[in-house]
Amino acid sequence: MKAIFAAVSALLLSVALMTSAVATPVDTYEFKSVDNQKRALDLAHSLRCPQCQNQNLIDSNSPVAQDLRLEVYQMVDAGKADAEIIEFMTSRYGEFVLYKPKMEAKTYVLWLGPIGLLLIGLMIGFVFVRKQRISNVVEQDISAEDQAELDKLLKRDGK
């Protein structure tokens, strides 16, 4: 029994050690100031990884994201303005790297599309509700003679 316990313990210990060795490395950069560090992190959060497509540069572990993080950090430490860094990234990777694209003619659909879809949905809902109300109003009370004839017809169909 002790041999089984020792084997299981050794197995669990080796699995624990293997999983800790697979952990992803953490980027550590030395900045000239805390402000530079904050700016670099904010910029890296606002830029999309070109390889992962749905993660920002901070969240992505791809080699491309690591290179771009380093590039952003170095440019910030070199004293470049945020606009210059964003311009460099967009000239190199296109508007895709921006999570919030600029308001231009080619991005109107992106910015105004959700509002348009919401308005279309509201119009469809309004028309639907209006038709329901009109159909409820059209139903009128029938006369006693018509009701008797209707009951007579329904009794025949029921037999």
Side-chain angles (χ1 to χ4, degrees):
M1 188 65 157
K2 288 183 180 183
I4 294 173
F5 180 72
V8 170
S9 298
L11 180 66
L12 288 175
L13 181 62
S14 64
V15 169
L17 290 175
M18 283 190 297
T19 57
S20 66
V22 183
T24 58
V26 176
D27 295 332
T28 55
Y29 299 105
E30 293 288 329
F31 289 95
K32 293 178 183 174
S33 70
V34 176
D35 291 336
N36 281 358
Q37 181 180 12
K38 184 178 180 338
R39 273 188 52 224
L41 290 174
D42 288 343
L43 275 170
H45 273 292
S46 69
L47 295 171
R48 184 190 323 255
C49 172
Q51 185 177 1
C52 302
Q53 298 184 359
N54 205 17
Q55 290 180 322
N56 61 34
L57 295 181
I58 299 292
D59 295 336
S60 175
N61 288 329
S62 74
V64 173
Q66 290 173 351
D67 293 343
L68 290 178
R69 275 194 305 265
L70 179 61
E71 188 91 27
V72 167
Y73 296 161
Q74 288 173 344
M75 291 172 85
V76 166
D77 250 4
K80 300 230 179 192
D82 291 357
E84 288 179 285
I85 297 170
I86 289 173
E87 178 61 34
F88 172 78
M89 291 296 178
T90 54
S91 69
R92 190 170 176 190
Y93 294 101
E95 296 274 330
F96 176 77
V97 296
L98 300 176
Y99 266 120
K100 294 181 181 176
K102 299 172 188 168
M103 182 72 137
E104 297 174 340
K106 62 184 177 183
T107 59
Y108 283 156
V109 172
L110 188 67
W111 284 103
L112 302 176
I115 295 170
L117 289 174
L118 178 66
L119 291 175
I120 290 170
L122 288 173
M123 286 182 358
I124 290 172
F126 177 75
V127 168
F128 179 75
V129 168
R130 187 165 182 211
K131 280 185 179 181
Q132 290 293 329
R133 286 186 180 169
I134 289 173
S135 69
N136 288 341
V137 170
V138 169
E139 292 178 8
Q140 298 174 353
D141 293 330
I142 58 176
S143 66
E145 181 180 298
D146 289 339
Q147 182 66 39
E149 186 176 337
L150 181 62
D151 289 340
K152 182 179 172 186
L153 290 171
L154 289 174
K155 285 180 185 176
R156 281 190 200 155
D157 288 342
K159 290 184 180 179

